[in-house]
């Protein structure tokens, strides 16, 4: 009996602590929030978080050179100012991972649709230097060489581009380049060895974490039992890497992730997007007769794959809000073979209103190519509501800035309205729903206004919420300017 008052005090104290922790406002600052997870969302009423599927724009880059071919893959697309750079493995015939016939190829484009393969004159391949290879006769790095444009503010000009490549036998080797074409090793030996690496192992400078991050292939279970999965390591200098940490996927079923293609979203670099390849082993669609007709390598039609979308905000957690396919295999059997439909690394902007993701298709066939898929800017997913309408209320947050910018679309009959609330959910006079003119249209960038104007700077740095009503419309992103 004497312990009961202490127990009550403890429970009350724990509840107060838990409540205070739960009410800690998020710090948005002036960062853009895209609705690929529930990070900002507190409550939804008749509003759904909807995944959107990119539009097929057709093949844009054929792997048709003798040193490229059927098994070209592990592509990376980098926007460097007004130039798009493509990097990919070239190999005509299947062989062991990391063999000498594998080369790293390069192409470039201004618009993402029309690509050229320059004669770089760097490497001798098949007796000639007239080719578009940046690395050759450097196995096993050329199996899965994966570069990035280093956004580290302290980066040396001669190391403006960096890359990792290698297999389990070699470990990951580090490379650097000033121009993205001529590459040199950063160290004589591998810089990281604690992984299986039998996939595309991606890295980048994280602006939000202030360090280099690498996501690489591991397996769950022992050896090659279990599932193809992902682990993560970090570095301050790209040479010395931390102990690997397995990525987790929340309360979702395990799936084989052949690639994960994790990279910062260019308009919201604190959010990492992973448009990866989901591999379904022994899920056969193509029959033996179909395979002969398609002239598919006999070892490459017993499985199928598609593209999925995950996200992360750093650390060892992936968010799999969307288990549905992001990009389904195309019509016909050519893309229902093993290891087809693997997305290239990175989403890049290709017009004022459009961004693109590229997908490696018709693998293990002479028609292997890279296809472009388009979507509206920020258009991975949205808060969407039907004609009868609904609303979303955010968690408490703080912001910096003067105006609220949204990316949205409505039907002719639809609309959005926005209300600014205090942290308790009480509408702030001057910024209520009733004082917000209906927002109608389809714009990448629209400033929210109320009858008194758009200036919300009085509430900057104070905990607030947003209440957003939607009728037959979508909200893709928001940020304070």
């Amino acid at each position: 009996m004497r312990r009961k008052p202490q127990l009550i005090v403890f429970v009350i104290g724990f509840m107060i602590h838990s409540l205070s922790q739960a009410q800690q406002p998020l710090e948005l600052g002036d960062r853009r929030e895209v609705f690929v997870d529930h990070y900002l969302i507190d409550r939804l009423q008749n509003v759904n978080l909807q995944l959107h599927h990119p539009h097929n724009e057709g093949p844009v880059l054929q792997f048709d050179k003798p040193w490229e071919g059927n098994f070209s893959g592990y592509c990376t697309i980098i926007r460097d100012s007004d130039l798009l750079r493509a990097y990919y493995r070239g190999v005509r015939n299947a062989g062991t991972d990391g063999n000498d016939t594998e080369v790293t190829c390069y192409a470039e484009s201004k618009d993402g649709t029309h690509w050229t393969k320059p004669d770089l004159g760097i490497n001798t391949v098949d007796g000639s230097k007239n080719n578009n290879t940046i690395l050759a006769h450097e196995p096993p790095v050329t199996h899965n060489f994966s570069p990035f444009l280093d956004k580290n503010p302290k980066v040396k000009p001669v190391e403006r581009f960096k890359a990792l490549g290698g297999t389990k036998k070699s470990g990951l080797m580090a490379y650097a380049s000033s121009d993205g074409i001529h590459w040199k090793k950063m160290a004589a030996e591998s810089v990281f060895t604690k992984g299986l690496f039998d996939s595309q192992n991606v890295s980048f400078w994280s602006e939000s974490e202030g360090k280099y991050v690498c996501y690489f292939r591991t397996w769950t279970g022992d050896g090659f039992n279990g599932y193809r999965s992902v682990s993560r390591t970090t570095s301050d200098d790209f040479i010395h890497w931390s102990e690997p940490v397995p990525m987790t996927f929340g309360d979702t079923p395990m799936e084989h992730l052949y690639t994960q293609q994790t990279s910062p979203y260019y308009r919201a670099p604190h959010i990492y997007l992973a448009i990866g390849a989901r591999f379904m082993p022994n899920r056969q669609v193509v029959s033996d007769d179909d395979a002969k007709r398609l002239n598919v390598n006999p070892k490459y039609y017993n499985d199928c794959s598609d593209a999925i979308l995950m996200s992360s905000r750093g650390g060892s957690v992936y968010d799999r809000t969307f288990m549905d396919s992001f990009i389904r295999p195309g019509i016909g059997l050519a893309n229902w073979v093993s290891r087809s439909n693997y997305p290239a690394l990175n989403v890049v902007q290709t017009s004022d209103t459009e961004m693109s993701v590229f997908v490696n298709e018709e693998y293990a066939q002479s028609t292997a190519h890279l296809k472009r898929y388009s979507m509206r800017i920020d258009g991975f997913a949205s808060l969407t509501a039907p004609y009868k309408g609904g609303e979303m209320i955010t968690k408490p947050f703080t912001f910096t800035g003067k105006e609220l910018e949204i990316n949205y679309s409505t039907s002719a009959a639809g609309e959005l309205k926005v209300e600014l609330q205090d942290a308790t959910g009480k509408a702030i006079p001057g910024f209520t729903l009733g004082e917000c003119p209906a927002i109608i249209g389809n714009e990448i960038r629209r400033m929210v206004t109320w009858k008194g104007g758009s200036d919300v700077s009085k509430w900057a740095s104070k905990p607030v919420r947003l209440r957003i009503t939607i009728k037959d419309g979508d909200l893709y992103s928001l940020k304070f300017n």
Side-chain angles (χ1 to χ4, degrees):
M1 293 293 292
R2 286 178 295 178
R3 293 188 178 182
K4 283 188 176 179
Q6 295 176 347
L7 180 61
I8 292 171
V9 170
F10 173 80
V11 171
I12 293 174
F14 178 78
M15 291 174 64
I16 292 173
H17 174 74
S18 299
L19 185 61
S20 66
Q21 290 293 102
Q23 295 300 315
Q24 280 292 323
L26 304 173
E27 295 182 11
L28 261 59
D30 62 353
R31 295 191 300 272
R32 187 181 313 277
E33 288 297 324
V34 290
F35 291 102
V36 293
D37 59 18
H38 288 82
Y39 174 78
L40 188 57
I41 299 168
D42 189 12
R43 297 192 295 277
L44 296 174
Q45 181 179 339
N46 205 38
V47 170
N48 294 317
L49 204 52
Q50 177 69 48
L51 180 68
H52 295 286
H53 304 287
H55 183 262
N56 182 349
E57 300 289 354
V60 294
L61 183 62
Q62 300 287 337
F63 301 135
D64 53 4
K65 298 296 184 181
W67 53 87
E68 296 176 347
N70 306 33
F71 295 89
S72 298
Y74 292 152
C75 303
T76 297
I77 308 293
I78 296 175
R79 173 164 286 286
D80 182 16
S81 189
D82 63 346
L83 184 67
L84 291 175
R85 302 176 183 269
Y87 302 83
Y88 53 97
R89 179 187 70 205
V91 61
R92 174 65 60 182
N93 299 307
T96 57
D97 289 358
N99 71 77
D100 190 61
T101 63
E102 296 175 332
V103 295
T104 300
C105 301
Y106 172 83
E108 56 189 32
S109 172
K110 292 288 188 179
D111 59 9
T113 298
H114 305 92
W115 291 83
T116 60
K117 300 176 183 179
D119 281 337
L120 299 175
I122 298 174
N123 305 292
T124 300
V125 178
D126 297 335
S128 172
K129 283 194 172 183
N130 297 124
N131 59 66
N132 63 322
T133 67
I134 58 169
L135 291 175
H137 312 298
E138 293 194 40
V141 171
T142 45
H143 176 66
N144 53 10
F145 187 80
S146 187
F148 67 98
L149 181 59
D150 192 349
K151 299 294 182 68
N152 185 344
K154 297 180 181 179
V155 66
K156 300 174 183 177
V158 294
E159 297 179 353
R160 196 166 69 95
F161 292 85
K162 290 185 175 66
L164 293 173
T167 59
K168 178 176 174 57
K169 184 177 180 180
S170 68
L172 294 180
M173 306 293 294
Y175 281 69
S177 171
S178 62
D179 61 4
I181 294 176
H182 300 88
W183 294 81
K184 293 183 179 180
K185 286 183 180 179
M186 296 179 67
E189 303 296 330
S190 59
V191 296
F192 188 68
T193 60
K194 297 181 179 180
L196 293 176
F197 310 134
D198 53 324
S199 177
Q200 188 172 357
N201 310 285
V202 304
S203 53
F204 56 88
W205 170 259
S206 169
E207 296 179 32
S208 57
E209 297 186 71
K211 61 183 69 175
Y212 294 101
V213 181
C214 173
Y215 292 84
F216 60 95
R217 159 66 65 77
T218 50
W219 283 67
T220 64
D222 299 324
F224 289 98
N225 297 318
Y227 289 87
R228 295 168 174 84
S229 194
V230 189
S231 290
R232 176 184 128 120
T233 178
T234 64
S235 173
D236 293 325
D237 60 6
F238 207 68
I239 300 297
H240 304 92
W241 294 86
S242 65
E243 284 295 310
V245 178
M247 295 296 292
T248 60
F249 305 89
D251 187 22
T252 59
M254 289 297 295
E255 295 183 310
H256 286 274
L257 299 178
Y258 209 101
T259 66
Q260 31 75 28
Q261 310 300 48
T262 308
S263 62
Y265 176 45
Y266 73 98
R267 280 171 49 95
H270 64 291
I271 300 175
Y272 310 158
L273 295 179
I275 302 176
R278 172 170 55 186
F279 183 62
M280 308 298 292
N282 303 315
R283 192 172 177 85
Q284 184 172 342
V285 177
V286 177
S287 70
D288 293 349
D289 289 341
D290 292 330
K292 289 179 181 177
R293 180 174 55 81
L294 293 171
N295 196 26
V296 179
N297 185 292
K299 296 180 180 179
Y300 287 88
Y301 64 89
N302 295 318
D303 324 288
C304 59
S305 310
D306 60 8
I308 54 94
L309 174 69
M310 307 185 294
S311 63
S312 178
R313 291 172 180 265
S316 60
V317 178
Y318 278 125
D319 184 288
R320 294 208 65 185
T321 292
F322 309 107
M323 295 299 295
D324 298 338
S325 175
F326 184 51
I327 303 175
R328 293 181 181 178
I331 295 173
L333 293 175
N335 279 311
W336 291 91
V337 301
S338 298
R339 295 162 175 81
S340 196
N341 311 306
Y342 284 16
L345 175 63
N346 294 324
V347 175
V348 293
Q349 189 165 330
T350 43
S351 82
D352 291 341
T353 59
E354 174 196 87
M355 55 189 189
S356 297
V357 62
F358 298 81
V359 180
N360 198 161
E361 298 190 358
E362 298 188 17
Y363 192 73
Q365 298 159 76
S366 60
T367 52
H369 61 265
L370 200 64
K371 185 175 286 183
R372 185 173 80 89
Y373 287 80
S374 67
M375 62 193 111
R376 74 178 288 139
I377 289 175
D378 300 340
F380 307 99
S382 69
L383 291 170
T384 184
Y387 180 85
K388 66 179 181 180
E391 69 175 42
M392 182 274 288
I393 297 178
T394 69
K395 299 171 184 174
F397 64 85
T398 60
F399 70 91
T400 59
K402 185 177 180 180
E403 295 180 306
L404 174 60
E405 172 191 324
I406 62 171
N407 181 344
Y408 77 102
S409 68
T410 73
S411 70
E415 65 181 46
L416 279 77
K417 288 189 174 185
V418 181
E419 178 175 274
L420 189 64
Q421 302 180 340
D422 64 21
T424 67
K426 183 179 178 181
I428 297 173
F431 301 94
T432 65
L433 281 183
E435 295 167 292
C436 181
I439 301 169
I440 306 166
N442 188 349
E443 300 172 88
I444 301 297
R445 188 172 186 265
R446 167 76 173 262
M447 298 304 166
V448 178
T449 61
W450 292 265
K451 287 183 178 180
S454 61
D455 189 349
V456 293
S457 59
K458 179 181 176 181
W459 296 94
S461 302
K462 299 177 182 178
V464 294
R465 295 177 187 257
L466 290 176
R467 177 188 177 196
I468 302 175
T469 61
I470 306 173
K471 175 184 177 181
D472 196 9
D474 294 271
L475 178 64
Y476 300 95
S477 68
L478 61 82
K479 77 182 293 288
F480 288 87
N481 295 318

